[in-house]
Amino acid sequence: MLSATIMFEEVFAILKRVDCVCFDVDSTVIREEGIDELAKFCGKGLEVAKLTSQAMSGSMTFQEALKLRLNIIQPTIGQVQDFIRMYPPTLTPGVKTLVDVLHRRKVPVYLISGGFRCIIIPIADQLKISHNHIFANRLKFYFTGEYAGFDEDQPTSQSGGKGLVIQHLKQTCGYKNVVLIGDGVTDLEAAPPADAFIGYGGNVIRATVKAKAKWFVTNFNEICNVLVNQANV
C-alpha cells in the first residue's frame, strides 16, 4: 500500500504542470447541495436529502437518484426562478481565492456538476468562469411551466458522466494534466480520465472519498499554498 506521502507527491507532480482544473459544485464550490435546497424550498426536503446521501455514497446509480429526486420535487419553472432569486448559494470559503490564483496562472477552470445549470450560472458569474465552461444538467418544463423532466442526453445526468466530460475536454482542448476537485464518489470515479483527484471535505466528509483520495483537504488554502509556493520556487 502506498504511503500518504507518496500519494500526495503523485498529485503534487500533476499540480506542478496542471493545464486544466475541474471543480464539482455542490458541497465543493458551494456549501450546499443544490438539489437538497431546492427540495426544501418545494417542501420535499427530508425525502430528497436521504436519496442524495445514498447517491453520494455510491449505493445507487446517479441516474436513479436524480430521477427519483426530481420526481419527488416536481419543481415548476416559477419555483426554480423564485428559489434562485430568494436563496442564492453560498460560495465555500477560499474557493474564489483558489480560482483567482488559477486564472492568474492562465489555467482554465471548469465546473462539472450533477446539479442544474440554471442554478450554477450565477455561481460561475461570481467566480468569473465562462458559461461555456459549465457542464451540468438541464431541467425541462412544459409550456405551462410544469416540470417535464431533465435532459438525459447531458453526460452529467448519468453515472460516469464527469469522466466523460473530462475525456471530452482532453480530446477537444488537448489538456494533458487535468486536476479534478470534489467531495463525492462521482468525482473520485472520474480519475482517470482526470490525471489527479483532490478530495474536498470542507463542507461534508464522505468516508469513501476520504479513504480513497490520494490527497484529501478540508480547506482550499491548502491547494492555494501549494500553487503559490510552487510559483515562488
Side-chain angles (χ1 to χ4, degrees), residues 168-181:
H168 167 76
L169 291 174
K170 294 180 83 167
Q171 290 174 347
T172 59
C173 301
Y175 300 133
K176 301 296 184 184
N177 298 283
V178 177
V179 172
L180 173 62
I181 303 171

Side-chain angles (χ1 to χ4, degrees), residues 43-60:
K44 304 290 185 178
L46 291 178
E47 297 168 79
V48 167
K50 183 177 179 181
L51 282 170
T52 296
S53 179
Q54 291 174 347
M56 290 301 100
S57 65
S59 60
M60 69 172 66

Side-chain angles (χ1 to χ4, degrees), residues 180-200:
L180 173 62
I181 303 171
D183 72 293
V185 172
T186 57
D187 307 303
L188 178 69
E189 293 174 345
D195 301 282
F197 170 68
I198 301 173
Y200 182 72

